[in-house]
Amino acid sequence: MIKGNVDLLKEILDKSQYTVAICGSGMLAEMGFITVKTPERAYEIEKKYGVSPEYLFTSVYYNTRSDKFFEFYKNEMLNINLEPTPSSYILAAMERAGKLQCVITSNIYENPQKAGCHNVINLHGSVYQNKCPKCGRMYSLDYIKSSKRVPLCETCNTMIRPLVSLFGETLDSQLMTRTTQEIEKADVLLVLGTTLDSEVFSNYIKYFNGSRIVIIHKNSHYSDEKADIVFCDEPKNILTQLGY
């Protein structure tokens, strides 16, 4: 393992034939969003709603306590600044320069796409995709946010389902397969704002057979020893030095 060296990282990216970026919760932190699983925020939510987010953000609550689910979802998940972070713009520039072939993200806010990335896997879905489970009609984020209580389909009056992965749900099998395939193809794996031991990504990272793993995250972690280069910093502070 080599501690952060931007020149070496640039050299590795320039030589790579296929680079994949994995974007975790640290990328959300760059836009000021603290995940609902963070202990301090989870405590605040439980105090406010009387239930922990691990119960609120589930299919059980969506189906049985729909009004409370959408109150939480709109207030805590959607009532934030959804603009791309500096890191997202750099990833888009890297893609345009042919230095990045795929972005895999747990971000449900489509930050990479809004910054200009095209080959993106939204592993946990997107807040911008909302579907009537009965007739299949799609609805915008604005429609969900502007609904007074529970958003209902204008065609069949069925409760609309945000196409995001709720806690405890199995991820979309096609997305899982595509994620594995992209990581298998990679020469270089950029791990941004998360760790190799991530609950979300570790089962996919094990399929990496390329030459270099680069980690950029704020706090050091014991699994960093498995990487080739590690930067203990916010991804935006390193990526903006690459000159793309």
Side-chain angles (χ1 to χ4, degrees), residues 7-26:
D7 290 336
L8 178 58
L9 173 57
K10 184 72 161 54
E11 180 182 341
I12 288 170
L13 292 173
D14 285 342
K15 290 181 179 179
S16 174
Q17 296 299 306
Y18 206 95
T19 298
V20 172
I22 289 177
C23 301
S25 60

Side-chain angles (χ1 to χ4, degrees), residues 70-170:
F70 277 104
E71 179 188 0
F72 161 78
Y73 183 62
K74 288 188 281 186
N75 289 340
E76 310 300 334
M77 304 294 288
L78 302 183
N79 190 25
I80 62 170
N81 180 5
L82 302 176
E83 294 305 309
T85 65
S87 295
S88 297
Y89 286 109
I90 298 300
L91 293 179
M94 289 173 62
E95 185 184 83
R96 289 193 298 272
K99 304 301 182 183
L100 179 66
Q101 280 65 49
C102 182
V103 174
I104 301 167
T105 179
S106 59
N107 183 336
I108 60 175
Y109 301 106
E110 293 193 7
N111 274 14
Q113 291 96 320
K114 286 188 284 186
C117 292
H118 293 92
N119 190 18
V120 180
I121 299 175
N122 296 304
L123 199 54
H124 287 174
S126 167
V127 297
Y128 294 94
Q129 302 293 318
N130 303 278
K131 185 177 183 180
C132 172
K134 185 175 181 180
C135 72
R137 181 172 173 178
M138 299 297 295
Y139 287 88
S140 68
L141 173 64
D142 288 338
Y143 186 86
I144 302 299
K145 292 173 71 174
S146 62
S147 60
K148 291 184 178 179
R149 294 185 66 185
V150 175
L152 300 176
C153 177
E154 294 179 329
T155 301
C156 65
N157 208 42
T158 301
M159 182 170 61
I160 297 168
R161 172 63 153 86
L163 296 184
V164 296
S165 177
L166 303 179
F167 293 154
E169 286 187 323
T170 302

